[in-house]
Amino acid sequence: MWRNIFNPQNRWVAGVSAFLMLLANGSFTSRLVQAYPLSDGNVLFVASVFLLFTLATTLLLVWLCHGRAAPWVLALYLIASSMAAYFMSTYGTVIDQTMLENTLQTNAAEAGDLFSISMLLYLLVLGVLPAWYVLRRMPRAKGLATELRAKALFSVCLLAGMVLLIVPFTSQYASFFREHKSLRFYANPTYFTYSAIRLASSKIKGSAGPVVVQAVAPDAALHDEPPLHPKELIVLVVGETARADRFALNGYTKPTNPMLGKEDVVSLGNVTSCGTSTAVSVPCMFSLAGRDGFDGDKVNQFENVLDVLKRQGVEILWRDNNSDSKGVALRLPYENFRDPAINPVCDSECRDTGMLVGLEDHIRKHPGKDLLIVLHQMGNHGPAYYKRYPPEFERFTPVCKTNELSKCTDEEINNAYDNAILYTDHFLAQTIALLKKFDSSHETAMLYVSDHGESLGEKGMYLHGAPYVFSPREQTHVASVLWFGKNFDYRTDDLRLVKDYPFTHDDLFCALMLAFEVESGVCTQRTNALKAHFEQQGQTR
């Protein structure tokens, strides 16, 4: 019987599982030891947890590997796990559903920014070579009935082993599962398998039949205006990966905002993002659902605020120098400025300032219309921050000139990141200069808000995309800047009263409705709360 249970195929699965736990789980192991220091007498418990996850991985792979496909499944897992190990070890990221969604949406240029020799070594040593060995040497199963019987018996043994590992440390495991949930996110490959199943399930549900877009704010109505009242001209800049604490306007010690500092702007210093990745934050900030009600699988089934404004006659244009609009501009005029044939300001890559070219003509072609122009930046997209700005903006040195951030000093990483902020400062100042040309004929305004922040090595984390439940503030505290022209209904001095108000991406929907004087009951509660804060601050000023 034992020979049947531990048949060659089961032994190979167990061997691959042990290989993955020993060599592809550095992030999991290091965080486990941090949570349970060996010096505090946790040696046996840590060993128990490590063995428990080894058995759990074996149980998972046993039931994924069948017949002639078994070697290919193990080979695929070895390659995928090597990549997961690289990104978790190098950037401290978690391979969850959001990160997998981001991976699917990554274009060639973004993928190129992530490539490195270290990645190639991980892929070769932990993935390709072991996968090649498995494909050449793993024996094939000897019949379906025999294989299933062996799997069932082997699974019983694995489950029994897991129980035996937990029982002596019941109280510590209770703490582990209750207080250290984030540790499980680093278990490779069990957690990314779970995340992949959830992502596949959501894609299957999302593809079931044509999408019928449901209206939101059906009571929306444009406020009556005098015939000669100036029309709104608003530019909304959706930033990329810009932390609030790196704006000199918010007190940062480096002069990252020399141009905006000369303008009459208000920097909102307490804005929180909806997510920690572009794929979540961008559709969420335009949605009425807000962060708590946001469902990425259903977001395209409902109108966003741009759809509502379009219904009220607002002329909208989306220009994109990032990956895409993440579904927000599906029903709107859309221009891809990552294309050098469209963007006239391209060197090593296409620059954000290119999105301003031709906007004067666009504005003049729509006289008598309310206009909203959305500019989606490349901004500070990492890890190759040094590519995000032209050479003349490299003012903070020395600079990290590689995408392998672990090979750079903190100073080099921060300088490269801050130079990219400096270029965003230039881009926003240029945007304001464009709007000033129409200040007499329109109610002009610019709103800049970043989609999410970025970890730059704090707590061993880099980039973004951490699960929101334990995401650091560096990834959720985002930069936001407002500028109003002389005809706009709101004054800059008034906005300074709320510069420290705890805004979130949830407020963008109603902020845009308010800016275009579109009224709806869905915004009553939020606008009343803001007005109350205005009155309170005005009394104490």
Side-chain angles (χ1 to χ4, degrees):
M1 181 182 75
W2 293 109
R3 180 177 295 181
N4 290 333
I5 295 175
F6 299 106
N7 64 14
Q9 193 172 54
N10 286 344
R11 291 201 300 270
W12 272 80
V13 170
V16 169
S17 300
F19 175 86
L20 291 174
M21 285 302 301
L22 287 169
L23 298 180
N25 272 276
S27 292
F28 173 74
T29 304
S30 64
R31 283 169 171 76
L32 177 62
V33 172
Q34 287 174 10
Y36 297 93
L38 300 180
S39 58
D40 293 347
N42 293 312
V43 175
L44 292 178
F45 176 68
V46 168
S48 171
V49 172
F50 194 84
L51 288 172
L52 179 71
F53 275 84
T54 303
L55 296 184
T57 302
T58 305
L59 184 63
L60 169 69
L61 294 181
V62 158
W63 288 102
L64 290 177
C65 296
H66 295 279
R68 294 182 178 180
W72 292 98
V73 172
L74 290 181
L76 179 63
Y77 260 91
L78 284 163
I79 291 172
S81 297
S82 70
M83 289 292 89
Y86 170 76
F87 284 105
M88 287 193 289
S89 296
T90 304
Y91 300 115
T93 57
V94 170
I95 313 301
D96 62 355
Q97 183 177 349
T98 300
M99 190 61 69
L100 292 173
E101 180 74 45
N102 290 338
T103 301
L104 292 177
Q105 296 183 14
T106 298
N107 57 38
E110 292 171 339
D113 282 347
L114 294 170
F115 179 80
S116 68
I117 297 300
S118 297
M119 177 195 285
L120 188 61
L121 289 174
Y122 265 83
L123 178 62
L124 185 65
V125 175
L126 296 182
V128 174
L129 291 178
W132 173 80
Y133 185 75
V134 167
L135 290 173
R136 280 184 59 88
R137 302 298 298 273
M138 182 176 177
R140 302 299 189 262
K142 297 181 179 179
L144 179 61
T146 303
E147 179 186 0
L148 292 176
R149 184 165 55 251
K151 287 180 183 295
L153 293 173
F154 191 39
S155 298
V156 171
C157 293
L158 292 171
L159 290 170
M162 293 167 72
V163 171
L164 292 175
L165 287 168
I166 292 174
V167 169
F169 306 99
T170 304
S171 60
Q172 286 164 288
Y173 271 107
S175 167
F176 175 80
F177 288 115
R178 184 178 62 252
E179 299 176 13
H180 298 286
K181 180 180 179 180
S182 62
L183 285 176
R184 289 173 280 163
F185 297 166
Y186 291 91
N188 184 17
T190 51
Y191 191 71
F192 84 65
T193 300
Y194 163 76
S195 301
I197 292 171
R198 289 188 60 192
L199 178 61
S201 175
S202 69
K203 293 296 183 184
I204 292 171
K205 290 179 181 178
S207 62
V211 175
V212 179
V213 180
Q214 300 180 44
V216 300
D219 63 333
L222 189 65
H223 182 72
D224 289 335
E225 297 177 340
L228 298 179
H229 191 274
K231 294 296 183 179
E232 277 80 11
L233 168 57
I234 299 176
V235 174
L236 169 62
V237 180
V238 179
E240 171 66 47
T241 319
R243 287 166 48 159
D245 63 358
R246 293 311 175 96
F247 271 50
L249 294 172
N250 296 328
Y252 188 46
T253 55
K254 288 183 186 177
T256 52
N257 300 127
M259 301 300 292
L260 288 177
K262 299 175 182 178
E263 301 290 346
D264 190 18
V265 299
V266 176
S267 180
L268 302 177
N270 192 16
V271 180
T272 303
S273 67
C274 185
T276 61
S277 69
T278 305
V280 172
S281 282
V282 169
C284 181
M285 71 168 73
F286 288 92
S287 166
L288 181 61
R291 190 178 77 80
D292 291 338
F294 180 76
D295 185 340
D297 299 333
K298 297 180 180 179
V299 64
N300 289 332
Q301 298 176 16
F302 297 89
E303 289 183 330
N304 57 60
V305 65
L306 302 186
D307 295 312
V308 177
L309 294 175
K310 180 183 176 182
R311 278 199 275 115
Q312 302 307 312
V314 178
E315 186 71 30
I316 302 173
L317 172 65
W318 184 295
R319 286 187 166 185
D320 209 305
N321 197 38
N322 204 298
S323 50
D324 56 49
S325 73
K326 308 305 177 188
V328 177
L330 286 176
R331 296 168 290 277
L332 299 168
Y334 175 90
E335 296 174 351
N336 174 23
F337 272 71
R338 292 296 299 276
D339 185 352
I342 297 175
N343 190 335
V345 186
C346 297
D347 40 56
S348 58
E349 66 175 45
C350 289
R351 301 300 178 189
D352 290 332
T353 53
M355 290 190 289
L356 299 176
V357 177
L359 281 186
E360 283 190 53
D361 291 338
H362 171 76
I363 295 167
R364 297 186 195 283
K365 287 177 181 177
H366 297 89
K369 296 275 288 185
D370 290 323
L371 295 170
L372 173 60
I373 299 165
V374 184
L375 306 177
H376 188 195
Q377 276 189 283
M378 174 56 73
N380 279 57
H381 196 287
Y385 308 118
Y386 69 99
K387 293 183 179 181
R388 303 289 92 91
Y389 52 87
E392 60 268 26
F393 286 86
E394 190 167 288
R395 300 177 193 174
F396 307 119
T397 57
V399 165
C400 180
K401 295 256 176 132
T402 175
N403 55 12
E404 297 184 75
L405 300 180
S406 59
K407 292 185 177 181
C408 296
T409 65
D410 289 344
E411 181 186 15
E412 291 169 336
I413 295 170
N414 285 290
N415 282 340
Y417 183 87
D418 292 340
N419 285 330
I421 294 288
L422 192 67
Y423 182 59
T424 287
D425 173 79
H426 168 74
F427 170 62
L428 295 180
Q430 293 292 103
T431 303
I432 292 172
L434 170 69
L435 287 170
K436 285 180 177 179
K437 296 179 180 180
F438 297 91
D439 211 13
S440 297
S441 58
H442 292 75
E443 289 189 29
T444 55
M446 182 201 74
L447 167 59
Y448 164 81
V449 59
S450 184
D451 58 352
H452 54 76
E454 186 88 330
S455 289
L456 296 172
E458 299 90 354
K459 304 180 184 69
M461 298 181 71
Y462 295 92
L463 305 182
H464 52 268
Y468 207 95
V469 67
F470 70 91
S471 58
R473 183 161 172 78
E474 291 82 7
Q475 295 190 26
T476 59
H477 185 205
V478 296
S480 183
V481 176
L482 286 165
W483 174 86
F484 293 149
K486 65 181 182 181
N487 286 328
F488 205 74
D489 285 342
Y490 298 94
R491 304 266 56 85
T492 304
D493 287 342
D494 294 333
L495 261 294
R496 289 196 174 94
L497 296 174
V498 294
K499 66 182 181 62
D500 296 319
Y501 185 82
F503 289 104
T504 73
H505 277 169
D506 295 2
D507 294 304
L508 182 64
F509 188 105
C510 291
L512 288 174
M513 296 275 279
L514 195 64
F516 282 97
E517 301 178 58
V518 176
E519 299 175 347
S520 172
V522 300
C523 290
T524 301
Q525 184 175 354
R526 289 179 181 173
T527 52
N528 285 346
L530 187 58
K531 287 176 181 177
H533 184 77
F534 261 121
E535 293 172 1
Q536 180 183 4
Q537 293 299 311
Q539 292 170 2
T540 59
R541 184 167 59 169

